[in-house]
Amino acid sequence: MPEPRRPKSYATGTAPAESAARAERPISTAQMDTSEIIDKLSDLAQLDVDAFHAYGQAIDSVEEMDLRSHLERYQSDHERHYVELSRIIREHGGNPPEFSRDFKGYLIAGFTSLRSAMGTKGALKAMKTNEEMTNRKYSQASGDMRFPVALRSILERFYGDEKTHLSWIEQTLNRIS
Ligand SMILES: [Fe+2]
């Protein structure tokens, strides 16, 4: 005979809402330590620097003003991500990567194809490859439950920007193909 289900009990003095909020947190997942937070955010910040410069290359290959203005907006999103991540890295006692003036291509593989990109379509195809990478990285980071909650919500916001970038590029490539 199965035991009758007992009514759910809450700890004395704990409101159900608080108890539910606590239950959402995974109990077995350890929080990330500060040095790992700094390392992971530094990788993302470097990726944003690379993406910023990759957008610069792409913008130079695109003549259509409406397309350029989208690319410029996405480029500034990456700059904003870099600035915000750098602030958080410093708050944790770390040194953010430099915002290099040149494209070093540490993490972005699409640079080679951007160099030889012929016109709008080539540039957008290269940026699609790059944005697939930034989407993958931000998806992984924002889904990492070991980040502190407040940080994860920032990473989720950035991931939302990345999804917008990739989906616009895909739609535009479909439209002009
Ligand atoms: Fe992006």
Side-chain angles (χ1 to χ4, degrees):
M1 274 276 285
E3 277 205 354
R5 280 186 70 174
R6 283 188 216 157
K8 218 171 171 181
S9 64
Y10 298 104
T12 317
T14 307
E18 282 171 3
S19 182
R22 256 211 303 277
E24 279 176 20
R25 279 183 224 154
I27 295 156
S28 59
T29 311
Q31 287 260 307
M32 210 178 275
D33 67 28
T34 305
S35 72
E36 197 179 352
I37 290 174
I38 292 169
D39 284 352
K40 287 192 180 286
L41 296 189
S42 295
D43 279 353
L44 289 172
Q46 183 62 63
L47 185 69
D48 278 309
V49 173
D50 277 8
F52 176 91
H53 289 301
Y55 267 106
Q57 299 278 335
I59 290 162
D60 287 345
S61 305
V62 172
E63 285 180 2
E64 297 87 339
M65 289 312 289
D66 57 328
L67 302 190
R68 280 175 75 107
S69 71
H70 271 90
L71 297 175
E72 281 162 3
R73 204 181 321 146
Y74 300 160
Q75 183 186 37
S76 68
D77 282 344
H78 283 285
E79 187 177 20
R80 182 169 46 78
H81 293 175
Y82 168 81
V83 169
E84 203 161 335
L85 289 173
S86 296
R87 180 184 56 78
I88 299 165
I89 290 166
R90 282 194 201 93
E91 279 173 5
H92 283 78
N95 287 315
E98 270 184 43
F99 194 98
S100 62
R101 291 167 61 84
D102 305 315
F103 188 96
K104 297 223 173 71
Y106 290 124
L107 301 164
I108 296 265
F111 180 49
T112 316
S113 41
L114 267 173
R115 260 196 164 148
S116 55
M118 297 298 286
T120 301
K121 208 167 154 185
L124 289 180
K125 276 186 175 171
M127 287 315 295
K128 180 172 177 280
T129 307
N130 293 336
E131 286 290 9
E132 281 165 352
M133 177 160 190
T134 55
N135 271 262
R136 204 162 48 242
K137 295 279 185 186
Y138 269 106
S139 165
Q140 284 166 359
S142 64
D144 192 332
M145 305 298 273
R146 296 176 313 124
F147 272 118
V149 176
L151 241 172
R152 237 178 41 238
S153 76
I154 293 170
L155 295 172
E156 274 165 18
R157 182 156 49 81
F158 291 179
Y159 179 36
D161 293 333
E162 295 313 314
K163 284 192 271 193
T164 303
H165 302 172
L166 181 56
S167 97
W168 179 84
I169 289 169
E170 285 172 341
Q171 283 168 27
T172 307
L173 270 172
N174 284 338
R175 187 161 55 82
I176 65 174
S177 290

